[in-house]
Amino acid sequence: MSQSASAADPLSTPEAFKAGLIAAVSAYLMWGFAPMYYKLTADMPAIIVICYRVIGSVLFLGAFLVMSKLRKEILAIFCDFSRLRYLLVSASVISINWTIFIWSVETGRVLDASLGYFINPLVSVGLGVVLLSERLSKAQLAALAITIFAVLYKTFEVGELPWVSVVLALSFALYGYVRKQAPVSAVAGQLVEVLLVLPFALVGIWYFAQAGTGGIYPAIPVEQPWFLSLLLFTGVITAVPLVVFAFAARRLPMIYIGFLQYIAPSIHFLSAIWLFGEELSIEGLFAFGMIWFSLVIFSVDGVIARRRVAKLA
């Protein structure tokens, strides 16, 4: 790296790379250990936890907003429907993703969630083909075909579509696609998303406060402040990794982001078996094996492709 290049782009320095690497690993570790936290709130139905997750995110990001210079951007987004429409879609999609993920933790289906996030990168590639008319290399096509076969295999062998995995992978891939198209910054976009969902979260809390939760805690557990704090802190669990990841994404090449993204589902996989006692069947292990094999093909192809581009540059 030349001295002039470093001077021209302060984010291309070795110090920036190191900071980005630490931030990316930190973000994926936080995402990886998230199921352990949601086990603490498992006595509350997932839909109510989501409501508190939204409220907590608004409180945390709102405090961050006060200390930052994003207020003008937030107001500008709400006044510009051409940008706001993207966030209306992304807010809806990520709400589905959050709900299914927390429900999977509460019901002992973390392995299914892990599988979903393992296949997510390949689903993103598939969306690129369908929505952006992108062309796949032979290796990418093979990896995608193996992934589809793995899902079909598990469906027919177990007798049930792994819908948790499919919904999580599709929703997060679609969320990534929409946010990539949205001309907004990461933090401002996330705050607008939770602000859009906030009225539904407040109505949900009010409804369950009247109707009851069917669990051991009321919808507003004011007599259990420690549990109320746990629920509101889900907003921090949500927001902090995204803010840290946004910091990392500006400082790291995408190849590093691509490799590091497997940290989180790997932790999900190991914690599901060793901590939560979920059973991994032979069929499930074979499906995971095929997914891992397809990810190896996908990753190696990405490395080779980038080296070719670097040589031509």
Side-chain angles (χ1 to χ4, degrees), residues 38-53 99 102-103 105-107 204-205 208-209 212-222 224 226-232 234:
Y38 288 113
K39 283 290 185 180
L40 301 176
T41 62
D43 290 327
M44 189 70 80
I47 188 65
I48 303 179
V49 177
I50 287 298
C51 293
Y52 278 104
R53 188 174 184 177
T99 304
I102 293 177
W103 179 85
V105 173
E106 292 185 352
T107 56
I205 294 293
F208 285 105
T213 66
I216 63 176
Y217 293 108
I220 308 177
V222 291
Q224 295 84 19
W226 63 272
F227 191 70
L228 180 60
S229 299
L230 282 177
L231 291 171
L232 289 174
T234 57

Side-chain angles (χ1 to χ4, degrees), residues 28 121 253-262 299:
Y28 284 120
M254 284 305 297
I255 186 171
Y256 286 89
I257 297 294
F259 277 122
L260 292 174
Q261 70 181 318
Y262 302 123
S299 300

